[in-house]
Amino acid sequence: MNSASVAAWRLAVAASAATGVALAAREYDVWWTALSQLANLAVAVGFLGLAFAEPRSPWLRGTLATAMSVVCLAYLPMANGNLTAPWSVLEHLVTPALVLVDFLLVGTNQADVRWWHPPTWLAPLAAYLVWYVDGDLGVYAALDPSGGALFTARVVALAGLGLAAGYLLYAHGRRARRALLVLAA
């Protein structure tokens, strides 16, 4: 893709995320306490910046792809039953898919992913969890801190899901690196 096409693509990803957040904000008074909306807001801002310049490091794109993978994959089995609302479809299906496509097919720095990136990609999710527990946000019934062992098990499962998604992205980057090395030889 040429740079104008990449910029247009990334502006479309940002628009998808921003539209999901705007529609959710119309629906919910406390939209800004939910991970789905905050992750989509991060995608909107991040992809607006990426439309104009892609950093040398794939860290930002990996962080956003990992967060959106968790948003999508954790939301679907939580039985929220809200995949009919336009905001929910955008935030939980469309935007995560677009962010993954960008990481896998559009970006140019996937080959620079390092083994230590995936754990660091979880930092924003961990920060949200600290705020969620400390602020007693209670957004998700399935993530009730008073649940003791069940809460801990669910947090561990979400962290495992995020790490698995991150290391799958890392594996893709390694394949891209090998392909570049073969082309250079």
Side-chain angles (χ1 to χ4, degrees):
M1 292 177 101
N2 65 39
S3 61
S5 297
V6 170
W9 162 262
R10 290 188 169 154
L11 289 173
V13 175
S16 174
T19 302
V21 171
L23 292 174
R26 287 182 30 200
E27 190 78 20
Y28 297 104
D29 291 338
V30 291
W31 63 270
W32 49 270
T33 61
L35 178 62
S36 300
Q37 283 81 45
L38 293 175
N40 274 271
L41 187 58
V43 167
V45 172
F47 271 75
L48 185 60
L50 288 168
F52 299 102
E54 184 167 346
R56 288 183 47 148
S57 170
W59 194 88
L60 175 62
R61 290 188 324 112
T63 300
L64 295 173
T66 299
M68 293 309 287
S69 295
V70 170
V71 163
C72 175
L73 297 173
Y75 182 81
L76 295 176
M78 286 177 62
N80 288 330
N82 199 2
L83 284 178
T84 56
W87 68 267
S88 186
V89 172
L90 285 170
E91 288 189 343
H92 300 108
L93 293 175
V94 174
T95 302
L98 295 175
V99 171
L100 285 172
V101 166
D102 184 81
F103 190 92
L104 297 172
L105 302 174
V106 177
T108 59
N109 57 12
Q110 299 89 312
D112 295 329
V113 174
R114 300 295 178 244
W115 69 267
W116 51 268
H117 281 159
T120 68
W121 291 341
L122 298 180
L125 296 173
Y128 175 78
L129 181 64
V130 168
W131 179 53
Y132 180 85
V133 171
D134 188 55
D136 194 25
L137 300 181
V139 176
Y140 305 104
L143 280 180
D144 182 1
S146 68
L150 182 58
F151 171 75
T152 302
R154 288 181 173 160
V155 167
V156 168
L158 288 171
L161 180 66
L163 270 178
Y167 277 110
L168 286 171
L169 295 171
Y170 167 73
H172 172 75
R174 297 285 297 168
R175 281 193 297 280
R177 181 183 275 299
R178 280 195 295 272
L180 289 173
L181 291 174
V182 168
L183 288 175

